Amino acid sequence: MADIPTVVALIVAGVALLVAAGQLTQQLMATAYVLRKCDRVVTGRVTKGGTRQWHWRQFRFTVQYQAIIFALPAPLYPAIGVRSTVQVDSPSHEVWDRALELRPKRTTAQACWISFIQDLAMSACIKPGSLCLKAESGDRVPEDLTVAPTRVDAITVMLACVAMGMQVSKYSPTTGEISMAGATGGISSSTHPTLGGLLHYSVFADEPTIGFEEAKRHGHAMLQEKGVWANTVFGRFKDRLFQPEFTSLSVLRTRKFGVLMARGWPRDSVTDTIAGAGCFLAFGHIDVYEAVPPSNVRQWCAHFAEVIVKSHLVQLIDDGFKAEVGLTLPKLDQTKQEFIDQYGCSSPYLPWENLGSTEGMRSGNISLDRLPDTDPFFDPESGKVLACTGLIKSACHTTSSDAHNPSSYMPADAAWEAILLADQRLRHIYFTYGQWPDQTFGNCAENIVASAIRSLAEIGIPSWGRASKIIEEWPGIFSAACNEVLKDQTPPVNEQWVSVYARLSMFRAAYYTIMMRSAGGIGSGITEETLPNTALVYMA
């Protein structure tokens, strides 16, 4: 009988052991489902997957996994007027490398945010130093999600998708509603009861419709820290004649109504409204970063810009400016990129306040000296103020018959070269012959442009195909506009160079307008009233 207590104790201990083993088994089984949501299959082996951690005091397991956090360059967010909702604390170049390395081996079982990051890296929409690993608790993963989520910034996702060629059909970050799609993939959203906005990325193809090279150009432009490209998505531009801040197109075009009405622009024009003409004048002096700026301003682009471009091409061809005569732009791409890297803007169209500075006039690596008066293609009397091999080739060799699409006649790269040349010479003329910072010179030129385009109000679509009479009359129209403005100009200006400046401004505005018209819309989800807002959302 003395052994009975011992037996009872052994039985109780055995039961306790069984209970403990049961609890441990239960914990293992409970974490197994959570672990499956963040294992190496889900993370595509880009991260090491979820891990269990044992807590003795609580006698339970917890699961941790590594989420990937990504963001745009920090200075870019205030440049577009928002504050990033995610922070990259410890950048990991290794994760960027692994994402690219494992992209060809990705499967449908991996989390959509892994696929999205791989596509961002492939399209150069994120820099190696713009993503990091973040430890997250698997216990906080909602039961109704099949994969563990990661935190993302709404405007970061939207801009990256636009850079990859997607169209925006819905963008409301505060409510978590984002919908985008393209031939490459799509973003859909839902509202989760716990997480709030929840995004899902679907892969449709391995390569963007616009191609990786074009996507990389967009990605490089998107990452520009001064936000020129990113603001253009929302129809916001930097007007060099006013304060160096980004302004909506509605404000920019309204600023031009006074000069247009003073020069007789018909307010009741049916074909081209005064708003379209206001945009045209504004495009003469706003910054542009890449050859195809995505934006929502296409509806405001004036049709008569095509007439000016065609008139210029006809002049170049008639005057014998052919590619075979040796008209080249040496190291144009290299010079453009070096300038962008140094000054953070598209071309030698520096902010007006820097025009008189030594830093603004010269770069240590590239020659940006004033154009010499002996420049054979810069004769103010002949009017041969622009010459571009790309323009001539596009005019001579285009075979498209689509009269409704300006890009059929004017490739965006050729328009970019024209803007680059115009900006170089506008800057040179303004600094040399204007009274900087007095704007009399520029205002006089703008009045000449407003008077000249007055006769183009009723050209209509397709202006390219019905402009022959206007092109024949254009030299006389422009000359009459110069005489009309200059005869009443006080104080006097250098008439010879102000007319050249006006012609260059008009060409610049025309080529930029053509570029905007041929760039294509970015979808109905971004309108002129859409503000660059953002919010924290999740992707799973």
Side-chain angles (χ1 to χ4, degrees), residues 176-208:
E177 297 175 274
I178 303 176
S179 179
M180 305 183 67
T184 310
I187 294 284
S188 57
S189 66
S190 60
T191 303
H192 193 273
T194 303
L195 301 178
L198 186 64
L199 305 183
H200 181 77
Y201 176 63
S202 301
V203 179
F204 301 157
D206 286 334
E207 182 174 350

Side-chain angles (χ1 to χ4, degrees), residues 223-238:
L223 297 175
Q224 190 249 358
E225 294 183 354
K226 293 186 180 296
V228 175
W229 189 93
N231 275 285
T232 305
V233 172
F234 293 93
R236 288 152 49 94
F237 305 89
K238 184 174 289 187

